[in-house]
Structure formats: C-alpha cells, structure tokens
Tab-separated table of all heavy atoms in Angstrom:
chain	number	residue	atom	x	y	z
A	220	PRO	N	113.037	103.305	97.574
A	220	PRO	CA	112.158	102.466	98.388
A	220	PRO	C	111.760	101.169	97.680
A	220	PRO	O	111.569	100.146	98.322
A	220	PRO	CB	110.941	103.361	98.636
A	220	PRO	CG	111.514	104.737	98.609
A	220	PRO	CD	112.549	104.678	97.500
A	221	PHE	N	111.663	101.205	96.360
A	221	PHE	CA	111.359	99.989	95.596
A	221	PHE	C	112.557	99.039	95.622
A	221	PHE	O	112.392	97.826	95.752
A	221	PHE	CB	111.010	100.353	94.149
A	221	PHE	CG	110.639	99.169	93.306
A	221	PHE	CD1	109.328	98.743	93.234
A	221	PHE	CD2	111.605	98.478	92.593
A	221	PHE	CE1	108.981	97.635	92.462
A	221	PHE	CE2	111.272	97.376	91.824
A	221	PHE	CZ	109.962	96.957	91.759
A	222	ILE	N	113.750	99.599	95.514
A	222	ILE	CA	114.977	98.789	95.461
A	222	ILE	C	115.345	98.240	96.835
A	222	ILE	O	115.807	97.104	96.959
A	222	ILE	CB	116.137	99.629	94.881
A	222	ILE	CG1	115.822	100.015	93.439
A	222	ILE	CG2	117.456	98.868	94.958
A	222	ILE	CD1	116.756	101.052	92.851
A	223	PHE	N	115.140	99.036	97.873
A	223	PHE	CA	115.490	98.644	99.245
A	223	PHE	C	114.252	98.722	100.150
A	223	PHE	O	114.190	99.540	101.075
A	223	PHE	CB	116.585	99.561	99.793
A	223	PHE	CG	117.844	99.562	98.987
A	223	PHE	CD1	118.182	100.661	98.208
A	223	PHE	CD2	118.691	98.461	98.990
A	223	PHE	CE1	119.349	100.670	97.459
A	223	PHE	CE2	119.863	98.458	98.246
A	223	PHE	CZ	120.191	99.562	97.475
A	224	PRO	N	113.257	97.865	99.917
A	224	PRO	CA	112.013	97.983	100.686
A	224	PRO	C	112.178	97.765	102.179
A	224	PRO	O	111.454	98.387	102.973
A	224	PRO	CB	111.104	96.917	100.065
A	224	PRO	CG	112.023	95.953	99.393
A	224	PRO	CD	113.217	96.755	98.978
A	225	GLU	N	113.124	96.921	102.595
A	225	GLU	CA	113.294	96.668	104.031
A	225	GLU	C	113.775	97.931	104.748
A	225	GLU	O	113.302	98.250	105.845
A	225	GLU	CB	114.291	95.517	104.281
A	225	GLU	CG	113.859	94.182	103.714
A	225	GLU	CD	114.234	93.999	102.240
A	225	GLU	OE1	114.999	94.829	101.678
A	225	GLU	OE2	113.746	93.039	101.630
A	226	ILE	N	114.705	98.636	104.134
A	226	ILE	CA	115.220	99.871	104.723
A	226	ILE	C	114.119	100.934	104.751
A	226	ILE	O	113.944	101.645	105.736
A	226	ILE	CB	116.469	100.367	103.958
A	226	ILE	CG1	117.596	99.346	104.113
A	226	ILE	CG2	116.887	101.755	104.435
A	226	ILE	CD1	118.785	99.599	103.216
A	227	TYR	N	113.377	101.014	103.658
A	227	TYR	CA	112.270	101.970	103.578
A	227	TYR	C	111.243	101.694	104.674
A	227	TYR	O	110.818	102.601	105.389
A	227	TYR	CB	111.624	101.896	102.193
A	227	TYR	CG	110.424	102.781	102.036
A	227	TYR	CD1	110.564	104.152	101.865
A	227	TYR	CD2	109.130	102.255	102.056
A	227	TYR	CE1	109.453	104.972	101.718
A	227	TYR	CE2	108.024	103.061	101.907
A	227	TYR	CZ	108.191	104.419	101.739
A	227	TYR	OH	107.100	105.229	101.600
A	228	GLU	N	110.851	100.429	104.823
A	228	GLU	CA	109.854	100.060	105.836
A	228	GLU	C	110.352	100.372	107.246
A	228	GLU	O	109.576	100.822	108.090
A	228	GLU	CB	109.489	98.576	105.731
A	228	GLU	CG	108.665	98.236	104.515
A	228	GLU	CD	107.312	98.929	104.472
A	228	GLU	OE1	106.750	99.269	105.538
A	228	GLU	OE2	106.813	99.148	103.362
A	229	LEU	N	111.636	100.149	107.499
A	229	LEU	CA	112.200	100.479	108.806
A	229	LEU	C	112.119	101.986	109.062
A	229	LEU	O	111.779	102.425	110.163
A	229	LEU	CB	113.645	99.997	108.906
A	229	LEU	CG	114.360	100.291	110.225
A	229	LEU	CD1	113.629	99.653	111.404
A	229	LEU	CD2	115.800	99.816	110.158
A	230	GLY	N	112.424	102.764	108.045
A	230	GLY	CA	112.323	104.222	108.179
A	230	GLY	C	110.898	104.668	108.463
A	230	GLY	O	110.665	105.506	109.340
A	231	ILE	N	109.935	104.097	107.738
A	231	ILE	CA	108.527	104.434	107.958
A	231	ILE	C	108.105	104.030	109.372
A	231	ILE	O	107.438	104.781	110.078
A	231	ILE	CB	107.632	103.745	106.905
A	231	ILE	CG1	107.923	104.273	105.495
A	231	ILE	CG2	106.152	103.902	107.255
A	231	ILE	CD1	107.624	105.732	105.294
A	232	LYS	N	108.528	102.847	109.793
A	232	LYS	CA	108.209	102.357	111.140
A	232	LYS	C	108.750	103.318	112.195
A	232	LYS	O	108.055	103.668	113.153
A	232	LYS	CB	108.807	100.964	111.330
A	232	LYS	CG	108.571	100.369	112.695
A	232	LYS	CD	109.196	98.978	112.782
A	232	LYS	CE	108.916	98.370	114.127
A	232	LYS	NZ	110.109	98.148	114.925
A	233	ASN	N	109.999	103.766	112.026
A	233	ASN	CA	110.601	104.695	112.985
A	233	ASN	C	109.884	106.043	113.009
A	233	ASN	O	109.681	106.629	114.069
A	233	ASN	CB	112.082	104.890	112.688
A	233	ASN	CG	112.905	103.674	113.051
A	233	ASN	OD1	112.505	102.857	113.871
A	233	ASN	ND2	114.056	103.533	112.421
A	234	LEU	N	109.521	106.531	111.835
A	234	LEU	CA	108.789	107.800	111.780
A	234	LEU	C	107.462	107.692	112.524
A	234	LEU	O	107.039	108.630	113.203
A	234	LEU	CB	108.546	108.217	110.330
A	234	LEU	CG	109.777	108.676	109.560
A	234	LEU	CD1	109.463	108.807	108.076
A	234	LEU	CD2	110.299	109.990	110.112
A	235	ARG	N	106.809	106.537	112.408
A	235	ARG	CA	105.526	106.339	113.085
A	235	ARG	C	105.704	106.107	114.585
A	235	ARG	O	105.004	106.714	115.394
A	235	ARG	CB	104.790	105.151	112.465
A	235	ARG	CG	104.189	105.458	111.122
A	235	ARG	CD	103.332	104.310	110.611
A	235	ARG	NE	102.668	104.705	109.379
A	235	ARG	CZ	102.683	103.998	108.266
A	235	ARG	NH1	103.281	102.832	108.222
A	235	ARG	NH2	102.054	104.440	107.193
A	236	GLU	N	106.611	105.196	114.942
A	236	GLU	CA	106.713	104.770	116.333
A	236	GLU	C	107.542	105.711	117.212
A	236	GLU	O	107.178	105.962	118.358
A	236	GLU	CB	107.276	103.352	116.412
A	236	GLU	CG	106.323	102.329	115.829
A	236	GLU	CD	106.865	100.911	115.863
A	236	GLU	OE1	107.951	100.676	116.431
A	236	GLU	OE2	106.192	100.027	115.295
A	237	ILE	N	108.634	106.212	116.691
A	237	ILE	CA	109.503	107.079	117.494
A	237	ILE	C	109.009	108.523	117.478
A	237	ILE	O	108.874	109.160	118.524
A	237	ILE	CB	110.966	106.989	117.009
A	237	ILE	CG1	111.501	105.564	117.231
A	237	ILE	CG2	111.831	108.026	117.719
A	237	ILE	CD1	112.840	105.293	116.587
A	238	PHE	N	108.739	109.034	116.293
A	238	PHE	CA	108.332	110.436	116.170
A	238	PHE	C	106.818	110.624	116.210
A	238	PHE	O	106.335	111.743	116.331
A	238	PHE	CB	108.898	111.040	114.880
A	238	PHE	CG	110.391	111.093	114.869
A	238	PHE	CD1	111.131	110.145	114.182
A	238	PHE	CD2	111.070	112.074	115.564
A	238	PHE	CE1	112.519	110.182	114.170
A	238	PHE	CE2	112.457	112.131	115.562
A	238	PHE	CZ	113.183	111.179	114.868
A	239	GLU	N	106.076	109.515	116.063
A	239	GLU	CA	104.618	109.520	116.081
A	239	GLU	C	104.018	110.386	114.982
A	239	GLU	O	102.989	111.045	115.175
A	239	GLU	CB	104.105	109.942	117.462
A	239	GLU	CG	104.550	109.006	118.566
A	239	GLU	CD	104.087	109.440	119.940
A	239	GLU	OE1	103.170	110.289	120.049
A	239	GLU	OE2	104.651	108.929	120.926
A	240	PHE	N	104.672	110.397	113.813
A	240	PHE	CA	104.153	111.126	112.661
A	240	PHE	C	103.086	110.297	111.954
A	240	PHE	O	103.142	109.068	111.943
A	240	PHE	CB	105.260	111.439	111.654
A	240	PHE	CG	106.282	112.434	112.139
A	240	PHE	CD1	107.585	112.360	111.682
A	240	PHE	CD2	105.959	113.443	113.017
A	240	PHE	CE1	108.541	113.268	112.101
A	240	PHE	CE2	106.908	114.363	113.448
A	240	PHE	CZ	108.201	114.271	112.982
A	241	GLU	N	102.151	110.984	111.351
A	241	GLU	CA	101.199	110.338	110.456
A	241	GLU	C	101.822	110.371	109.064
A	241	GLU	O	102.159	111.444	108.563
A	241	GLU	CB	99.865	111.079	110.464
A	241	GLU	CG	98.829	110.441	109.573
A	241	GLU	CD	97.509	111.176	109.577
A	241	GLU	OE1	97.235	111.941	110.525
A	241	GLU	OE2	96.756	110.978	108.616
A	242	ILE	N	101.985	109.222	108.461
A	242	ILE	CA	102.679	109.119	107.178
A	242	ILE	C	101.673	109.109	106.037
A	242	ILE	O	100.723	108.318	106.037
A	242	ILE	CB	103.548	107.838	107.131
A	242	ILE	CG1	104.555	107.833	108.281
A	242	ILE	CG2	104.218	107.689	105.779
A	242	ILE	CD1	105.490	109.014	108.313
A	243	ILE	N	101.903	109.972	105.072
A	243	ILE	CA	101.105	110.032	103.854
A	243	ILE	C	102.030	109.642	102.702
A	243	ILE	O	102.925	110.410	102.335
A	243	ILE	CB	100.547	111.461	103.603
A	243	ILE	CG1	99.858	112.026	104.840
A	243	ILE	CG2	99.660	111.481	102.372
A	243	ILE	CD1	98.647	111.278	105.309
A	244	GLU	N	101.860	108.451	102.174
A	244	GLU	CA	102.697	108.010	101.050
A	244	GLU	C	102.072	108.490	99.746
A	244	GLU	O	100.957	108.119	99.409
A	244	GLU	CB	102.832	106.491	101.035
A	244	GLU	CG	103.677	105.958	102.158
A	244	GLU	CD	103.913	104.472	102.039
A	244	GLU	OE1	104.852	104.075	101.340
A	244	GLU	OE2	103.129	103.718	102.641
A	245	MET	N	102.815	109.307	99.046
A	245	MET	CA	102.347	109.813	97.764
A	245	MET	C	102.552	108.728	96.694
A	245	MET	O	103.214	107.717	96.940
A	245	MET	CB	103.093	111.101	97.409
A	245	MET	CG	103.008	112.195	98.469
A	245	MET	SD	101.339	112.754	98.838
A	245	MET	CE	101.075	113.863	97.467
A	246	THR	N	102.007	108.945	95.524
A	246	THR	CA	102.041	107.970	94.433
A	246	THR	C	103.445	107.466	94.133
A	246	THR	O	103.658	106.276	93.896
A	246	THR	CB	101.437	108.594	93.151
A	246	THR	OG1	100.135	109.078	93.450
A	246	THR	CG2	101.354	107.583	92.033
A	247	THR	N	104.419	108.342	94.165
A	247	THR	CA	105.780	107.970	93.777
A	247	THR	C	106.557	107.246	94.870
A	247	THR	O	107.643	106.728	94.611
A	247	THR	CB	106.602	109.217	93.386
A	247	THR	OG1	106.638	110.125	94.495
A	247	THR	CG2	106.030	109.881	92.150
A	248	ALA	N	106.029	107.195	96.083
A	248	ALA	CA	106.798	106.694	97.220
A	248	ALA	C	107.434	105.328	96.972
A	248	ALA	O	108.587	105.102	97.317
A	248	ALA	CB	105.923	106.644	98.470
A	249	ARG	N	106.720	104.409	96.357
A	249	ARG	CA	107.230	103.043	96.167
A	249	ARG	C	107.367	102.647	94.700
A	249	ARG	O	107.485	101.463	94.387
A	249	ARG	CB	106.307	102.049	96.856
A	249	ARG	CG	106.217	102.238	98.355
A	249	ARG	CD	105.175	101.295	98.936
A	249	ARG	NE	104.952	101.532	100.334
A	249	ARG	CZ	105.453	100.772	101.306
A	249	ARG	NH1	106.204	99.742	101.029
A	249	ARG	NH2	105.188	101.059	102.566
A	250	MET	N	107.346	103.618	93.813
A	250	MET	CA	107.391	103.303	92.382
A	250	MET	C	108.743	102.726	91.953
A	250	MET	O	109.787	103.086	92.503
A	250	MET	CB	107.088	104.548	91.544
A	250	MET	CG	105.629	104.923	91.521
A	250	MET	SD	105.302	106.393	90.516
A	250	MET	CE	105.305	105.670	88.888
A	251	HIS	N	108.690	101.881	90.959
A	251	HIS	CA	109.893	101.311	90.340
A	251	HIS	C	110.689	102.452	89.686
A	251	HIS	O	110.096	103.386	89.122
A	251	HIS	CB	109.471	100.277	89.296
A	251	HIS	CG	110.610	99.516	88.719
A	251	HIS	ND1	111.424	100.026	87.733
A	251	HIS	CD2	111.076	98.283	89.003
A	251	HIS	CE1	112.337	99.139	87.420
A	251	HIS	NE2	112.153	98.062	88.178
A	252	PRO	N	112.012	102.397	89.739
A	252	PRO	CA	112.825	103.458	89.135
A	252	PRO	C	112.499	103.737	87.666
A	252	PRO	O	112.505	104.891	87.233
A	252	PRO	CB	114.261	102.948	89.284
A	252	PRO	CG	114.215	102.027	90.448
A	252	PRO	CD	112.846	101.397	90.421
A	253	ASP	N	112.204	102.693	86.893
A	253	ASP	CA	111.857	102.908	85.479
A	253	ASP	C	110.539	103.661	85.334
A	253	ASP	O	110.401	104.514	84.458
A	253	ASP	CB	111.782	101.571	84.734
A	253	ASP	CG	113.136	100.904	84.588
A	253	ASP	OD1	114.169	101.606	84.672
A	253	ASP	OD2	113.166	99.667	84.391
A	254	GLU	N	109.573	103.354	86.195
A	254	GLU	CA	108.291	104.070	86.166
A	254	GLU	C	108.506	105.545	86.491
A	254	GLU	O	107.919	106.423	85.854
A	254	GLU	CB	107.314	103.478	87.170
A	254	GLU	CG	106.743	102.129	86.790
A	254	GLU	CD	105.778	101.649	87.846
A	254	GLU	OE1	106.258	101.070	88.838
A	254	GLU	OE2	104.556	101.871	87.676
A	255	LEU	N	109.339	105.796	87.495
A	255	LEU	CA	109.636	107.190	87.850
A	255	LEU	C	110.288	107.924	86.681
A	255	LEU	O	109.903	109.038	86.343
A	255	LEU	CB	110.555	107.239	89.065
A	255	LEU	CG	109.926	106.874	90.400
A	255	LEU	CD1	111.002	106.694	91.458
A	255	LEU	CD2	108.934	107.939	90.830
A	256	TYR	N	111.263	107.278	86.067
A	256	TYR	CA	111.983	107.892	84.952
A	256	TYR	C	111.043	108.205	83.787
A	256	TYR	O	111.142	109.262	83.165
A	256	TYR	CB	113.113	106.959	84.496
A	256	TYR	CG	113.884	107.492	83.318
A	256	TYR	CD1	114.880	108.447	83.502
A	256	TYR	CD2	113.622	107.052	82.027
A	256	TYR	CE1	115.588	108.947	82.425
A	256	TYR	CE2	114.329	107.544	80.942
A	256	TYR	CZ	115.311	108.497	81.136
A	256	TYR	OH	115.995	108.993	80.063
A	257	ASN	N	110.126	107.292	83.518
A	257	ASN	CA	109.240	107.432	82.357
A	257	ASN	C	108.005	108.284	82.622
A	257	ASN	O	107.220	108.517	81.697
A	257	ASN	CB	108.810	106.049	81.859
A	257	ASN	CG	109.964	105.287	81.253
A	257	ASN	OD1	110.782	105.853	80.536
A	257	ASN	ND2	110.044	104.005	81.551
A	258	ASN	N	107.820	108.751	83.842
A	258	ASN	CA	106.619	109.517	84.185
A	258	ASN	C	106.946	110.802	84.949
A	258	ASN	O	106.584	110.951	86.117
A	258	ASN	CB	105.676	108.646	85.023
A	258	ASN	CG	105.106	107.502	84.228
A	258	ASN	OD1	104.289	107.713	83.353
A	258	ASN	ND2	105.561	106.296	84.530
C-alpha cells in the first residue's frame, strides 16, 4: 500500500462503496516496507 497508494486507495474505496464495509486500518496498513521489515 505504501508503494502503490493509488491501487490501495481504489481497493479501500471499493470495499466501502460497493461492499459497504467499515474499514479499520491497522498500524501496518500503510507502513513503508523498510519499517515493516525492521519492526
């Protein structure tokens, strides 16, 4: 999601608008790959 934010945002938009899900983004959802690797 950090590398391809436009694709990620489109997916989140579809989950909200088409499926009407409530989205809970956890801490790691948008983290940089290096941050994920190091934590």
Side-chain angles (χ1 to χ4, degrees):
F221 182 89
I222 296 169
F223 301 108
E225 298 85 10
I226 296 170
Y227 177 76
E228 289 298 333
L229 180 59
I231 295 297
K232 179 180 182 245
N233 288 337
L234 289 169
R235 285 187 174 129
E236 293 179 5
I237 296 170
F238 296 101
E239 299 178 16
F240 292 150
E241 181 180 340
I242 302 302
I243 310 297
E244 289 186 86
M245 305 300 280
T246 305
T247 59
R249 298 175 186 258
M250 284 180 80
H251 187 281
D253 292 338
E254 287 181 276
L255 287 169
Y256 178 81
N257 291 319
N258 293 289

